[in-house]
């Protein structure tokens, strides 16, 4: 089951400039900034309702997010849904021949299971799924 | 105040094909499809938590959404936030010189006040704001 939109991730070249819109002008709150070394990004977490807007700032020039920014410019990068059973969700996607970036979930340092669905299979949307521990 | 993510809008060329991913494979429920003549789209509403995924299918070839699909291909079109006071939110955005597509809200047939913020001012994200009646 899909529980909610966990976050919308927006790739930005600069967090200070991005905060001028998202925090100062729009009025979202900045909860925290975390470095996520495995994706080579700093992530700013802006809670909104039961979801977050996540601002992704590449910290190198070769990561997937950095190349996305270089190629497509700033904007929405992906949408993440929280699911209650990621293994069951991935099995169902496979049964429909939806191409997955992660055939098996990866597990982050918080114990969250994460998998990305390829935009080829979703109609052009990079979809992340996660299951909390 | 920003209350929640109201919806994520995804532009699709065909609703039946899109439902194969979003409903059949991913497992979201299809609540309803509405024609929105003022934007020349059919909209499929897929509730998820307190939000919706909205699938936008252009019904002509000249509307803004149709031209977006032609130019950029299918994918995420915009993100909509529900606000408690759209006039106050727009005033604050103007005070930060954020360019707006709608300087004043439009009102849809349900009485909802709607305004779009220009992607030039948001870092590449088309942002919709709405206030329920």
């Amino acid at each position: 089951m899909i529980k909610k939109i966990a976050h919308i991730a927006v790739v930005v070249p600069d967090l200070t400039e991005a905060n001028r819109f998202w925090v100062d002008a729009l009025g979202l709150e900045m909860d925290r900034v975390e470095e996520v070394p495995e994706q080579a990004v700093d992530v700013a977490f802006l809670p909104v309702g039961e979801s977050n807007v996540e601002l992704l700032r590449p910290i190198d020039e070769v990561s997937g997010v950095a190349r996305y920014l270089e190629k497509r410019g700033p904007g929405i990068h992906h949408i993440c849904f929280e699911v209650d059973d990621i293994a069951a969700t991935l099995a169902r996607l496979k049964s429909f021949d939806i191409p997955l970036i992660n055939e098996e979930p990866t597990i982050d340092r918080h114990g969250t299971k994460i998998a990305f669905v390829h935009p080829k299979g979703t109609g052009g949307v990079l979809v992340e799924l996660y299951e909390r521990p």
Side-chain angles (χ1 to χ4, degrees), chain A:
Chain A
M1 199 194 68
I2 311 294
K3 298 171 77 171
K4 64 175 185 177
I5 295 174
H7 61 258
I8 302 291
V10 177
V11 59
V12 305
D14 182 275
L15 284 178
T16 304
E17 177 61 23
N19 285 345
R20 185 177 177 274
F21 170 69
W22 294 99
V23 179
D24 299 342
L26 187 60
L28 295 185
E29 287 191 23
M30 166 68 67
D31 184 56
R32 67 193 189 283
V33 178
E34 280 182 17
E35 185 178 338
V36 181
E38 56 265 38
Q39 294 181 45
V41 288
D42 285 331
V43 182
F45 294 84
L46 288 61
V48 51
E50 66 186 11
S51 306
N52 278 276
V53 170
E54 291 188 5
L55 305 177
L56 313 182
R57 185 188 72 85
I59 57 180
D60 68 19
E61 295 182 350
V62 295
S63 68
V65 179
R67 285 182 284 119
Y68 183 98
L69 178 60
E70 171 73 23
K71 185 175 171 190
R72 305 207 42 164
I76 294 175
H77 182 262
H78 68 267
I79 175 172
C80 177
F81 297 101
E82 183 176 343
V83 301
D84 60 351
D85 184 342
I86 197 168
T89 304
L90 292 176
R92 185 154 145 168
L93 291 168
K94 286 177 196 172
S95 78
F96 279 86
D97 292 324
I98 304 295
L100 304 174
I101 292 173
N102 308 103
E103 296 275 334
E104 301 295 330
T106 59
I107 300 180
D108 77 5
R109 65 194 144 153
H110 305 294
T112 302
K113 295 178 184 171
I114 296 172
F116 281 88
V117 185
H118 200 287
K120 282 191 298 191
T122 68
V125 180
L126 179 57
V127 171
E128 179 182 3
L129 303 169
Y130 83 40
E131 177 190 330
R132 287 188 179 280

